[in-house]
Amino acid sequence: MENTDLFKELETERLYLKKIDVTYAKNLYDNIYSDIDYYKYYYSLPFENFEEYYKLVESYADYYLNGNYFRWGLVLKETNEMIGIVQLHSKDMLNDACKLGYILGKNYQHNGYMEEALNKIIEFSFNNLPIHRIEAEVVTDNLKSLKLVKKLNMTYEGIRKESYKYQDRYYDQALFSILNN
């Protein structure tokens, strides 16, 4: 069976939502991955240096070629700088569901960029992909992210007790979802 590329680059009022490639690796590393504080709420081990991150970004090209990889970089229209990432992951093909992950550079928070991007990606997903349910698991200490999922009209479903581990400590996660109705 031939792969069909379901990924689409998208556009909002202030952002381009693009494939992540080596062109933007330095932007993302500087804005996000070089800051150890980001890893508290993000499912990733810290990168030792830029070269290590660059190798990961190089591998994304193969993932996109497979036609079913949904990781967008958020690019500011006015500066062409990549400032964050949104990803649909952990796809459950049997139940037409997936999880939503996102991260935004500190210097770009509190400007509505992530809300703008997520609204567009949720709309795209429900209109163009075989997705019925999108979930977000948010560490309960991450107050900014809790506020964001509520703005997206995601429904609170409960707490997953001590389901996320960071630096030898377990954190609770709040589960939110939105349905394609």
Side-chain angles (χ1 to χ4, degrees), residues 6 59 65 76 80 84-85 89-90 100-101 107 112 121 123 130 133 145 148 157:
L6 299 174
S59 74
L65 285 176
L76 284 176
N80 200 40
I85 293 173
H89 63 94
S90 303
L100 184 64
N107 294 336
I121 289 168
E123 174 190 319
R133 174 186 171 89
S145 191
L148 176 61
E157 294 188 349

Side-chain angles (χ1 to χ4, degrees), residues 95-99 126 132-138 140 146 149-150 153-161 172-181:
N95 295 300
D96 298 330
C98 66
K99 294 183 181 180
F126 285 156
H132 174 70
R133 174 186 171 89
I134 298 174
E135 298 177 355
E137 296 171 327
V138 181
T140 56
L146 289 170
V149 293
K150 291 174 186 173
N153 294 316
M154 296 187 87
T155 302
Y156 172 76
E157 294 188 349
I159 297 288
R160 297 180 65 229
K161 300 297 287 178
D172 294 345
Q173 290 181 302
L175 178 61
F176 291 85
S177 71
I178 189 166
L179 302 176
N180 186 8
N181 289 330

Side-chain angles (χ1 to χ4, degrees), residues 97-180:
C98 66
K99 294 183 181 180
L100 184 64
Y102 46 88
I103 190 166
L104 185 67
K106 282 182 184 174
N107 294 336
Y108 303 96
Q109 294 178 5
H110 307 292
N111 292 299
Y113 293 127
M114 190 54 74
E115 181 181 1
E116 187 175 319
L118 289 172
N119 275 318
K120 186 67 171 187
I121 289 168
I122 290 168
E123 174 190 319
F124 166 79
S125 301
F126 285 156
N127 292 330
N128 298 282
L129 303 175
I131 298 290
H132 174 70
R133 174 186 171 89
I134 298 174
E135 298 177 355
E137 296 171 327
V138 181
V139 175
T140 56
D141 291 1
N142 189 345
L143 301 180
K144 293 176 196 174
S145 191
L146 289 170
K147 184 177 176 183
L148 176 61
V149 293
K150 291 174 186 173
K151 283 184 179 180
L152 297 170
N153 294 316
M154 296 187 87
T155 302
Y156 172 76
E157 294 188 349
I159 297 288
R160 297 180 65 229
K161 300 297 287 178
E162 297 186 5
S163 57
Y164 178 72
K165 183 179 178 182
Y166 177 73
Q167 293 185 341
D168 297 324
R169 180 178 166 212
Y170 292 95
Y171 293 86
D172 294 345
Q173 290 181 302
L175 178 61
F176 291 85
S177 71
I178 189 166
L179 302 176
N180 186 8

Side-chain angles (χ1 to χ4, degrees), residues 19-25 28 33 47 50-71 87:
K19 289 181 178 179
I20 300 167
D21 63 26
V22 295
T23 308
Y24 295 106
L28 287 174
Y33 295 106
F47 294 98
F50 173 69
E51 290 74 26
E52 185 181 19
Y53 179 67
Y54 188 89
K55 287 178 186 173
L56 175 67
V57 173
E58 283 182 316
S59 74
Y60 289 170
D62 291 334
Y63 293 127
Y64 287 116
L65 285 176
N66 289 334
N68 199 18
Y69 188 65
F70 299 98
R71 181 179 286 225
Q87 179 179 2

